[in-house]
Amino acid sequence: MSNKINKIGVLTSGGDSPGMNAAIRSVVRTCAYHKIECVGIYRGYQGMIEGDFTDMGPRSVNNIVNKGGTILKSARSTEFRTAEGRKKAHEQLLKANVDALVVIGGDGTFTGGLLFNSEYNFPIIGIPGTIDNDIFGTTHTLGYDTALNTVVECIDKIRDTAISHNRLFFVEVMGRDAGHIALNAGIGAGAEEILIPEEKLGLDRLLESLKKSKASGKSSSIVVIAEGDKIGKSVFELKDYVETNLPEYDVRVSVLGHMQRGGSPSCFDRVLASRLGVKAVESLMEGKSNYMVGLQNNKVELTPLEQAIKSKSEIDIELLRVSDIMST
């Protein structure tokens, strides 16, 4: 392995997700294992511009593997989008003798890192941290598994009320551009219908599905909706439409919101974060840059950052068929 990398900086950027702290811990302790210094960068790229750094050693990450959120905080930086802002960030890294970066986040984080590398040839490895699971090059992003478990637990509780009052519940989950959470949590929680951006169900088919559910003897129903689904302008407009056309239904709406991002990470996310952190540091030591570490066929592999950003994470078509069969 190359000895050129003496100090690595690690940051979290964009929306937080469970498992980010476990990934920070893994990066810090892998650096310590290989006798490399590690610097934590607070508030993502904005903190990098301001030189908001802290030295991190193995004991500085005690007892964070089980914590949600990110101890390094996260922020969106408009200044980093400018050449002047990136120049300031580069100067701060040089001043702190940082040789390479591990950036934890989503496509916005990776886009910023890729641009920074193109301007300053600064070694960068990305770790995918987003509950949406919408990054190409990995079957699971950090926080996705935890978010699924959170959503299923919430829907299970909502169903108790739905059954007690013979109600139809529309449950909106996160997923502005991707329906991974809605589809998998919907199947896991036994939803009667699942609405996702990738699949245009249409109002008529939704009404027909709800009529069939009622006719089959179902006294309550759960419909899971990804926030990016375009079947209606909003979930509340959809509720009004169904009540108008199917007055026999008593309809309620539950928007789960940011609770999906919080909470202690699942065992899967903790293990995944640990594996990705090790691979990220050791890839930088091997002289690699502009890659994302991800899980493919249960192996940690590298995907070019540009490909991770530009390519699309596809919905599992077989799961759509499973969903249709399960809602019978």
Side-chain angles (χ1 to χ4, degrees), residues 38-67:
C38 189
V39 168
I41 301 171
Y42 286 109
R43 297 175 295 112
Y45 292 124
Q46 190 59 39
M48 196 158 80
I49 291 170
E50 297 171 10
D52 194 1
F53 303 162
T54 182
D55 292 331
M56 301 189 79
R59 302 289 74 79
S60 68
V61 290
N62 280 353
N63 305 316
I64 67 168
V65 69
N66 60 319
K67 297 186 184 302

Side-chain angles (χ1 to χ4, degrees), residues 3 37 43 45 49 52 54 91 119 134-135 186 204 213 240 247 249 275 298-299 314 326:
N3 293 319
E37 292 181 73
R43 297 175 295 112
Y45 292 124
I49 291 170
D52 194 1
T54 182
E91 290 170 351
E119 291 176 339
D134 58 351
I135 304 292
D204 290 341
S213 291
D240 294 340
Y249 271 109
R275 295 175 70 185
N298 204 32
K299 291 183 179 179
E314 301 291 341
M326 291 301 101

Side-chain angles (χ1 to χ4, degrees), residues 41-112:
I41 301 171
Y42 286 109
R43 297 175 295 112
Y45 292 124
Q46 190 59 39
M48 196 158 80
I49 291 170
E50 297 171 10
D52 194 1
F53 303 162
T54 182
D55 292 331
M56 301 189 79
R59 302 289 74 79
S60 68
V61 290
N62 280 353
N63 305 316
I64 67 168
V65 69
N66 60 319
K67 297 186 184 302
T70 162
I71 62 167
L72 290 178
K73 311 295 183 183
S74 185
R76 304 191 188 276
S77 176
T78 54
E79 190 177 359
F80 192 77
R81 295 178 184 176
T82 68
E84 294 79 7
R86 293 189 294 275
K87 184 173 184 293
K88 288 180 187 176
H90 184 245
E91 290 170 351
Q92 294 286 9
L93 291 174
L94 293 182
K95 183 179 175 182
N97 297 314
V98 176
D99 302 312
L101 285 175
V102 175
V103 297
I104 307 169
D107 56 4
T109 303
F110 295 162
T111 299

